[in-house]
Amino acid sequence: MLNKKSVDDINVKGLKVLVRCDFNVPMVDGKITDENRLVAALPTIKKLIADGGKVILCSHMGKPKGEPKPELSLAPVAARLSELLGQEVKFAADATVVGENAKAAVAAMNDGEVVLLENTRYRAEETKNGEAFSKELASLCDVFVNDAFGTAHRAHCSNVGVTEYVDTAAVGYLMQKEIDFLGNAVNNPERPFVAILGGSKVSSKISVIENLLDKVDTLIIGGGMAYTFAKALGGNVGKSLLEEDYCEYALNMLKKAEEKGVKLLLPLDNVIADDFSNDANTQVVATGQIPEGWEGLDIGPKTAALYAETVKTAKTVVWNGPMGCFEMPNFAAGTEAVAKALADTDAVTIIGGGDSAAAVNQLGYGDKMTHISTGGGASLEFLEGKELPGVAAANDK
Ligand code: AMP
């Protein structure tokens, strides 16, 4: 369980509270196209308002690369947040984030009021965790609260550097929820514990596989990475995604799983295509029997049924990474079958951000999951067993 000081452990009455949120929302023509992250930030903001704090919000958006980019201004976020909160969120337009405008806006605040600073990545030092910008941010506040799980795996000024110059650094409700769910699922799961890993490459999931092999009862592998396992076992994979350099690693993982008594499931069959296109010709073949010129783009129906059955036996399921190229409808069935199996079970179901979260939401199963992480990279590093710098920087209870 999280042993960090939270917003429930601090008294912010009359104090200036700097809150690092994750307002990195997608925008098209100045309009927010998905406001999940804004909604997810509301409980902490409302709590601090209700407690009489002067609430100063900050966040990054996109990659302005250290200079002001009007299309990446947080101004539209302030407008939408005002509506969601039912009270004004004053936007402190300021090219240097903590410049004269921001300082004046903060100085004029009354208890319970809210100000939003400009995109922290307008400053080049932000992503380098530079001292000057960290100090500037800290100078605005009495207390710091980090509620941005999506950037917790990075050490930046606005989530890590700033904590060195404030007396109190706590975590917000969203951060706490993420860490409680992910932490409990991985370190204290109700068993059987099944993890499902997919996505494109073995190489990007190595540490996750290794860490999870020490924790799970069953590890299910799908997606592009399954073909490296199939090749390592002597199969033909055609022109499927393959990382030759990782074949030996794949064999080692199979051996490690056996030694640890972990069931490691690989696809039995695959939907293959003669082109990387939704309009390609397709067929279903057994694993390791992909003809030259064809590539595996999804798990096959027998595999989907096996994986769905396996999910039914679990009390805890963690899922990260699609089972195939789900962006193309003809190769989405495997990912959909897994999503449905998770939606139908009473087990604790945790979706580790990124593509799997998008797939679950797109299919309308979002509210059937126990927890969908708001951080793709951060949740992956969590599953790797790493300590996230953004979490580590908060004060212990
Ligand atoms: P990742 O970022 O590693 O989680 O990978 C996600 C991407 O993997 C998605 O965009 C999928 O389209 C892709 N992917 C999944 N299965 C395959 C496959 N069999 N061949 C190629 N790409 C795949």
Side-chain angles (χ1 to χ4, degrees), residues 85-226:
L85 281 171
Q87 80 172 66
E88 188 192 9
V89 173
K90 193 166 188 299
F91 182 60
D94 209 315
T96 58
V97 189
V98 189
E100 291 315 310
N101 262 351
K103 287 180 195 162
V106 169
M109 289 176 87
N110 293 311
D111 294 356
E113 288 186 350
V114 186
V115 161
L116 172 63
L117 304 182
E118 184 54 281
N119 188 341
T120 51
R121 289 196 191 164
Y122 275 16
R123 292 286 292 268
E125 310 100 294
E126 161 72 334
T127 54
K128 300 185 184 92
N129 201 15
E131 189 180 312
F133 186 44
S134 299
K135 280 185 176 163
E136 285 173 42
L137 286 166
S139 73
L140 289 180
C141 70
D142 305 301
V143 175
F144 174 73
V145 170
N146 187 1
D147 209 19
F149 183 72
T151 43
H153 58 314
R154 306 273 180 242
H156 292 170
C157 295
S158 64
N159 69 335
V160 172
V162 61
T163 63
E164 290 186 30
Y165 308 103
V166 294
D167 293 335
T168 305
V171 295
Y173 288 134
L174 176 62
M175 190 79 137
Q176 190 172 24
K177 190 171 142 211
E178 290 273 11
I179 291 156
D180 283 350
F181 274 114
L182 288 166
N184 248 338
V186 176
N187 298 317
N188 192 21
E190 213 185 318
R191 294 185 181 277
F193 176 17
V194 174
I196 308 171
L197 291 180
S200 53
K201 293 181 174 170
V202 179
S203 55
S204 61
K205 302 268 161 87
I206 287 178
S207 313
V208 183
I209 298 177
E210 285 197 15
N211 187 42
L212 289 180
L213 277 181
D214 286 330
K215 321 248 180 200
V216 298
D217 299 295
T218 302
L219 182 62
I220 292 178
I221 303 258
M225 70 167 117

Side-chain angles (χ1 to χ4, degrees), residues 199-201 204-205 223-224 227 241 276 296-297 322 324-327 355:
S200 53
K201 293 181 174 170
S204 61
K205 302 268 161 87
Y227 301 100
L241 202 61
F276 190 80
L297 294 183
C325 293
F326 75 106
E327 297 93 337
D355 284 324

Side-chain angles (χ1 to χ4, degrees), residues 170-397:
V171 295
Y173 288 134
L174 176 62
M175 190 79 137
Q176 190 172 24
K177 190 171 142 211
E178 290 273 11
I179 291 156
D180 283 350
F181 274 114
L182 288 166
N184 248 338
V186 176
N187 298 317
N188 192 21
E190 213 185 318
R191 294 185 181 277
F193 176 17
V194 174
I196 308 171
L197 291 180
S200 53
K201 293 181 174 170
V202 179
S203 55
S204 61
K205 302 268 161 87
I206 287 178
S207 313
V208 183
I209 298 177
E210 285 197 15
N211 187 42
L212 289 180
L213 277 181
D214 286 330
K215 321 248 180 200
V216 298
D217 299 295
T218 302
L219 182 62
I220 292 178
I221 303 258
M225 70 167 117
Y227 301 100
T228 298
F229 282 87
K231 176 79 178 179
L233 290 167
N236 293 322
V237 299
K239 58 173 183 174
S240 303
L241 202 61
L242 170 66
E243 291 176 288
E244 292 262 17
D245 294 355
Y246 286 89
C247 284
E248 200 180 323
Y249 167 82
L251 291 179
N252 284 340
M253 284 305 108
L254 291 171
K255 196 161 148 248
K256 189 170 170 190
E258 204 179 319
E259 282 164 10
K260 290 186 177 293
V262 170
K263 220 192 272 175
L264 195 152
L265 299 182
L266 293 167
L268 304 171
D269 57 352
N270 309 272
V271 179
I272 63 169
D274 60 358
D275 190 17
F276 190 80
S277 151
N278 194 48
D279 306 322
N281 295 309
T282 63
Q283 49 176 317
V284 175
V285 298
T287 290
Q289 296 184 16
I290 303 180
E292 277 309 308
W294 290 70
E295 61 193 303
L297 294 183
D298 195 9
I299 55 172
K302 276 193 198 141
T303 310
L306 170 69
Y307 289 2
E309 278 305 309
T310 308
V311 164
K312 277 191 198 157
T313 66
K315 287 262 167 54
T316 304
V317 189
V318 169
W319 180 24
N320 185 291
M323 296 291 100
C325 293
F326 75 106
E327 297 93 337
M328 295 189 264
N330 288 341
F331 308 105
T335 301
E336 283 178 23
V338 166
K340 182 167 186 316
L342 263 70
D344 287 346
T345 174
D346 292 332
V348 172
T349 47
I350 311 281
I351 314 297
D355 284 324
S356 358
V360 161
N361 282 325
Q362 256 168 43
L363 291 164
Y365 295 133
D367 58 356
K368 298 257 169 49
M369 303 300 161
T370 310
H371 180 67
I372 302 180
S373 176
T374 53
S379 66
L380 207 56
E381 291 204 12
F382 205 100
L383 297 180
E384 289 174 0
K386 287 189 186 153
E387 186 174 47
L388 306 181
V391 178
N395 301 146
D396 289 330
K397 258 192 191 158

